[in-house]
Amino acid sequence: MKIICIGRNYAKHIAELANERPTHPVVFLKPDSAILAKKMPFFIPAFSSDIHYEVEVLVKIHKVGKHIDAKFAHKYYDEIGLGIDFTARDVQSQCKEKGLPWEKAKAFDGSAVIGDFYPKSNFDLDSIKFQLYQNDTLVQDGNTEAMLWKIDELIAYVSQFFTLKKGDVIFTGTPAGVGRVSTNDILRGTLEEKEAFQVKIK
Ligand code: MG
């Protein structure tokens, strides 16, 4: 399986990192080795001193497709989840400065937290509420209504480049409020008030 990630999909997050608003979705990949095993802690890697959490709504693909039209995109996924796109912000800033690819900052081992999935019929996809708590402090408070590109538009866009396969996961971008993690933090994500994951930082 592969993990397809969308960057800069929420205007307030673009502003907090002083990024340019893109004219098309920003896309990058994580390999399956990036997945943090369930119930395992996240170990801050030695190569970074500025690991950020980014909570994101996840979409799980359940059917092969390429060049999918947005109006048929809903047929290619049936589950919604929540996860974290861990980012080595210091490494990413160096990559950005030099115009280099982001993989070292985004695709390293453990950088993809994939929480529980729920049937998409449980949600109003245009207004899914999701939150991230860092040690019981609410740090990110998102709603998919603020996405620049909606889920079906993202599927149409990314499937022009990548064949989507059953089991692939799309990270749909993070809202404002990203920040640094510290040793012993507990990160807890909720999707419509239901806990979708919990991760300890080591
Ligand atoms: Mg992200």
Side-chain angles (χ1 to χ4, degrees):
M1 61 84 76
K2 60 185 170 296
I3 300 168
I4 301 172
C5 302
I6 305 300
R8 304 184 194 173
N9 201 23
Y10 288 83
K12 284 183 189 159
H13 170 63
I14 295 171
E16 76 180 344
L17 293 186
N19 281 321
E20 225 172 273
R21 192 175 172 130
T23 48
H24 298 286
V26 172
V27 180
F28 60 95
L29 303 179
K30 292 184 194 252
D32 58 4
S33 51
I35 297 169
L36 185 68
K38 287 244 191 272
K39 308 238 154 88
M40 286 298 285
F42 173 83
F43 288 89
I44 295 176
F47 57 77
S48 175
S49 50
D50 195 18
I51 296 288
H52 275 204
Y53 52 76
E54 296 189 355
V55 74
E56 311 201 0
V57 168
L58 310 183
V59 176
K60 194 192 271 182
I61 299 298
H62 78 139
K63 192 171 140 180
V64 175
K66 188 170 172 64
H67 294 299
I68 299 165
D69 193 296
K71 66 176 177 287
F72 301 120
H74 64 96
K75 299 184 174 182
Y76 291 83
Y77 62 100
D78 57 1
E79 288 184 304
I80 296 292
L82 194 71
I84 296 180
D85 165 23
F86 276 123
T87 303
R89 195 70 72 201
D90 43 0
V91 177
Q92 189 192 29
S93 298
Q94 292 162 12
C95 295
K96 275 188 194 167
E97 249 169 53
K98 297 183 177 147
L100 294 171
W102 293 1
E103 275 80 0
K104 288 192 292 181
K106 285 284 198 182
F108 56 88
D109 288 1
S111 63
V113 174
I114 296 181
D116 298 333
F117 282 91
Y118 301 95
K120 76 173 180 207
S121 54
N122 289 9
F123 304 97
D124 170 1
L125 298 178
D126 288 334
S127 119
I128 302 173
K129 292 200 230 21
F130 59 104
Q131 275 98 17
L132 185 74
Y133 295 84
Q134 183 178 29
N135 308 320
D136 294 326
T137 302
L138 177 64
V139 287
Q140 289 193 272
D141 190 8
N143 190 313
T144 56
E145 72 191 0
M147 282 179 161
L148 300 182
W149 289 278
K150 303 292 180 194
I151 292 170
D152 291 357
E153 294 170 312
L154 293 174
I155 286 176
Y157 187 74
V158 300
S159 70
Q160 296 177 71
F161 304 96
F162 311 113
T163 298
L164 300 183
K165 293 188 174 178
K166 188 177 159 80
D168 288 350
V169 173
I170 302 177
F171 278 62
T172 60
T174 197
V178 300
R180 184 182 298 184
V181 300
S182 303
T183 309
N184 295 325
D185 277 354
I186 305 272
L187 300 177
R188 194 165 56 84
T190 60
L191 197 52
E192 297 290 356
E193 326 275 288
K194 249 199 227 164
E195 183 169 305
F197 63 78
Q198 191 166 314
V199 182
K200 174 146 188 163
I201 308 296
K202 291 213 170 172

